[in-house]
Amino acid sequence: MFTSERDLNAAEALLIARAMVKVSASDGVDERERQLIGEFLKDIGTDKSFDDLSKEDFNVEAAKGELEPEVRLMMIEGCWLVAFADGKVTEIEKEIIGKYAAALEEENVETIREQVLDKFIQSLSHIKNIEALAEVTKRLSE
């Protein structure tokens, strides 16, 4: 999921998941976003659900103090993955991710976006319908 291979502790993973949920909720939760976050929650071994996290506060400034720079980057990557999950990145998602990146002192938000998009597209490389893949790539690149 992330460009880093670093293992996350439970607190770090839940902070990332909370940020991802906030991005998902910003333009209306899509089932594909919910599924992506649900898989992440399952992978980190928490009993918390998407709905549990959607009821919890998330303060990016507080998160900054709790996360090392590498994990901050992972948070922004996770937020971009959520934004890509439904096939369209909305302006509100871009705005929120930009605010999170600025608060976390991640200056290269567009570079991070491009890296996550590249990795996302590579994960789809097994798809045989090249025309459909090209259309998805075009929409996500906008």
Side-chain angles (χ1 to χ4, degrees):
M1 175 179 265
F2 304 106
T3 56
S4 173
E5 295 298 320
R6 183 187 186 284
D7 288 330
L8 298 168
N9 66 41
E12 293 168 335
L14 284 173
L15 282 171
I16 290 172
R18 283 186 192 101
M20 292 167 69
V21 166
K22 295 304 179 192
V23 170
S24 174
S26 69
D27 65 345
V29 177
D30 181 274
E31 188 55 37
R32 292 165 289 192
E33 295 169 338
R34 180 185 286 273
Q35 185 177 10
L36 174 73
I37 295 167
E39 286 297 318
F40 179 63
L41 293 171
K42 181 179 168 186
D43 288 348
I44 64 173
T46 183
D47 293 335
K48 295 210 179 240
S49 69
F50 182 100
D51 292 332
D52 294 335
L53 294 181
S54 68
K55 297 172 190 167
E56 295 179 8
D57 288 331
F58 174 71
N59 181 320
V60 71
E61 293 292 338
K64 177 184 172 189
E66 297 178 40
L67 301 176
E68 295 175 16
E70 186 176 11
V71 180
R72 294 178 200 164
L73 173 61
M74 294 169 79
M75 178 178 285
I76 300 304
E77 290 174 342
C79 289
W80 277 122
L81 280 172
V82 168
F84 293 144
D86 64 359
K88 61 187 180 308
V89 178
T90 64
E91 289 302 316
I92 191 71
E93 288 172 326
K94 288 179 189 177
E95 183 180 323
I96 289 171
I97 295 168
K99 286 180 182 179
Y100 287 177
L104 296 172
E105 297 179 359
E106 287 293 338
E107 298 174 6
N108 300 314
V109 69
E110 282 305 312
T111 302
I112 297 167
R113 178 183 188 267
E114 290 170 15
Q115 290 171 340
V116 172
L117 180 57
D118 285 347
K119 188 170 182 174
F120 182 75
I121 291 169
Q122 287 173 8
S123 73
L124 302 175
S125 64
H126 66 282
I127 295 175
K128 304 268 189 266
N129 186 341
I130 301 299
E131 291 173 8
L133 183 57
E135 179 61 27
V136 168
T137 301
K138 179 181 172 190
R139 287 191 356 215
L140 291 176
S141 297
E142 295 174 347

